Structures are given as structure tokens and as C-alpha cells.
Amino acid sequence: FIKAKKRILELLKEQKQAIINDAVTGKVDVRTGKPYPKYKPSGVEWLGDIPDDWEVRRLKNVAKIVLGKMLKSTQETGYYLKKYLRSVNIQWEKAKLINVAEMYFSKNEMSTFRIKENDILISEGGEVGRCCLWKNEIEECYIQNSVHKLTCFSIIEPQFFLYHFMTMVKKGFLNSTVNRVSIAHLTREKLVVLKIAYPAFDQQLQIVSYIQEKTQAIGQTINRIER
């Protein structure tokens, strides 16, 4: 029975991801439900062709990217004990806030590593590229160096970026990008040069609304089966 339920979960998650994939890569125009009238090469292998009026840019040109602080367990003058997130806390779409750890930060570090609402959090190790959108689940929280935080510039809607980055990861593109010795790591140097495609801001909002509407029932079913 459990095995059958797990298979159903896999199929539902695949169905949800397929809806996301088609919308954020321009395979379907969410305003018409049909392909766009004209496409052009994106120059990005995993993306293929994109709608003619979409843009392609490197991540460093659409968001500020910060890798978290190295672990510091000892107290010093001018340092304050604060909660922080590790890679294990970063789950798909939403942070897992069980066993949130604490370490010491200086005031300058607090300014740099504090997570703000609508920041994208990306796992640097473990399941590389696993990502979620921060919604101030904890009033004051920071990141360790197993997590990147991306603060989107005004040209990018954070939820659209999250869906787009999820698609990049699920398609396996990061597997050929990450540094490997024994464990895969997504370094900041590798992250900043990755490319994404995006339409005008108002269309990003339409794509987000479309995805949320189309996947709401699927998400509710997934949650019910998991419970």
C-alpha cells in the first residue's frame, strides 16, 4: 500500500513539474494556452529555443548572490548568537525549520548574511541546487556556508525565479556544472555565471499565477497523501 502511494506521489510531482517546466521555459504561452508565435535560440543547452521577446542573462546580472558564513562556535566580544540555516534546512519550495542551529555573528556579518523576505535560498551541497523562497518564517535568521541566498533585482519576480531555477535543477543541468571531489558543491563562482531566460516582469507575474492555479489541486493531493 505504501509503495503504491509513493508511486502516486512520484507521478503527481512529475505532473506538477511538467506544468512548471512548460510555463517558465516558454513552451506554452500562459495567456493563450498555446505555444508562442515566434521563437529564437537561447544559447543555453538545457533551455533550447525561447520566445522571441524573452531575455537571457547571467545570474549575477539579475540577482545579488551571497554564500553563507563559515561555522563559528566560539564566542568573542562583538559577536551575537543567532539562528542560521544549513543545507539540510533547504527543501524544495519551502524551508524545513526543525532543529534550526545557532552560531555567532558580528554586526557586519549580520548585515551580510541575514535572510530577507523573498530571498531565494539554494543548497550548496547535499542535493545541490535544492531551493526555496524565504517568507520570514523566522523573524531574524542567517545562513551558513552550505547555503546561497539570492536577492532578485527589480527585473525578476522571486517566485518566477524559483520556478525557473527548480526547472534547471530537475532537468539535471547542474550535474555537469558543480565541482566534485567526493561530494558535489555548487560554488558561488559557478552559480553567478549560470544563465536564465525571462519575459517582461508583468508576464512573469502571469506565469506565476498560472502555475499556482494549475498546480494547487495537485499540491493539495500530494500533501494529503504524504500525511
Side-chain angles (χ1 to χ4, degrees), residues 46-57:
W46 73 271
L47 269 174
D49 292 346
I50 58 172
D52 191 54
D53 58 348
W54 285 33
E55 292 190 50
V56 175
R57 292 193 187 181

Side-chain angles (χ1 to χ4, degrees), residues 207-223:
I207 289 171
V208 169
S209 295
Y210 170 88
I211 291 172
Q212 291 176 341
E213 179 184 345
K214 290 289 186 179
T215 62
Q216 182 179 14
I218 298 173
Q220 289 172 347
T221 304
I222 289 171
N223 291 337

Side-chain angles (χ1 to χ4, degrees), residues 60-122:
K60 64 182 179 181
N61 296 321
V62 301
K64 180 182 178 181
I65 303 166
V66 174
L67 178 63
K69 171 185 166 67
M70 291 188 65
L71 187 62
K72 179 181 177 62
S73 57
T74 57
Q75 184 178 10
E76 296 178 19
T77 303
Y79 282 77
Y80 305 87
L81 190 62
K82 300 291 181 180
K83 293 180 178 179
Y84 72 93
L85 300 184
R86 302 163 288 167
S87 177
V88 69
N89 299 118
I90 310 305
Q91 300 298 312
W92 289 113
E93 297 191 61
K94 190 175 181 180
K96 181 180 181 181
L97 302 177
I98 298 175
N99 298 324
V100 175
E102 295 182 335
M103 70 169 161
Y104 291 95
F105 292 82
S106 68
K107 286 189 175 180
N108 285 340
E109 290 170 341
M110 288 160 63
S111 175
T112 301
F113 300 120
R114 183 167 181 172
I115 315 168
K116 297 181 180 179
E117 187 172 13
N118 289 325
D119 279 348
I120 308 292
L121 304 177
I122 299 174

Side-chain angles (χ1 to χ4, degrees), residues 1 6 26 59 75 88 117 134 140 148 155 181 184 204 226:
F1 177 80
K6 286 182 176 179
L59 290 197
Q75 184 178 10
V88 69
E117 187 172 13
W134 184 249
E140 183 181 356
H148 298 279
I155 56 174
V181 179
Q204 294 175 40
E226 287 179 337

